[in-house]
Structures are given as structure tokens and as C-alpha cells.
Amino acid sequence: MSARDAGEEREGARRSGRPMRRREARSEAELRARRALGGGGLLLVAGLALVGVGPSDAGMALTLLALALLIYGIHSFGRLGPERDERARAPSP
């Protein structure tokens, strides 16, 4: 599906009142930020587990890498700006 087709489908969903599919409503930047947060969280748990078993340089490095990835993910989400919802701006009847 091309970007034009996806845009037309979203516009049609808005006009008909049916909800848009969640995957199409997200931008590539938002998906990248979500992947960074998810990956960073998983790596952090793995790194903390390695450090918890015993003092380990691999666990320490993995934990630091995971924290950097989490910081990047949080920063990326912050750079996306406020969520825009057309229904929230529409005046009540």
C-alpha cells in the first residue's frame, strides 16, 4: 500500500466516523521511538539480571547500553510533540 493510498484510507475513515487502524495512524518516527523504548526495556531487564547473578562486565555494559537506548526513546517521544486529535478540537453540538 502506498503512502497516498494510506492517506486516502485515513481520510475516508475520518469522514465515515469509523476508527482508523492503530498501525496506520502512527508515524515512522513514533514507531522508531516505541521500538527504542521496548528494546531498551528488554535489554535493561537482561542487563540487570546478569548483574544480579554476579558482578559481570557484560551485564554492566548491557545495562549502560540499555539506559542509553531508553534515554534516546524518551527523547524521541518528547520530540514528536503533542498528540493531535481532531475530535478533541471539534466544538460540541
Side-chain angles (χ1 to χ4, degrees):
M1 176 183 286
S2 70
R4 182 177 169 190
D5 293 339
E8 289 172 358
E9 184 176 334
R10 278 188 290 239
E11 191 60 37
R14 275 193 207 117
R15 276 189 251 121
S16 68
R18 64 184 163 90
M20 291 185 291
R21 286 186 274 178
R22 290 182 57 85
R23 181 64 90 177
E24 292 175 3
R26 294 184 183 146
S27 68
E28 183 61 36
E30 183 180 354
L31 290 174
R32 193 176 321 118
R34 286 183 182 275
R35 278 187 230 119
L37 286 173
L42 288 173
L43 288 176
L44 183 61
V45 168
L48 290 176
L50 285 173
V51 170
V53 170
S56 159
D57 287 339
M60 179 184 65
L62 188 59
T63 302
L64 290 175
L65 176 70
L67 287 174
L69 191 58
L70 281 172
I71 289 169
Y72 168 75
I74 292 169
H75 172 74
S76 297
F77 253 113
R79 298 285 297 173
L80 290 175
E83 209 174 290
R84 295 185 197 114
D85 188 5
E86 298 298 325
R87 291 173 290 165
R89 289 192 211 146
S92 300

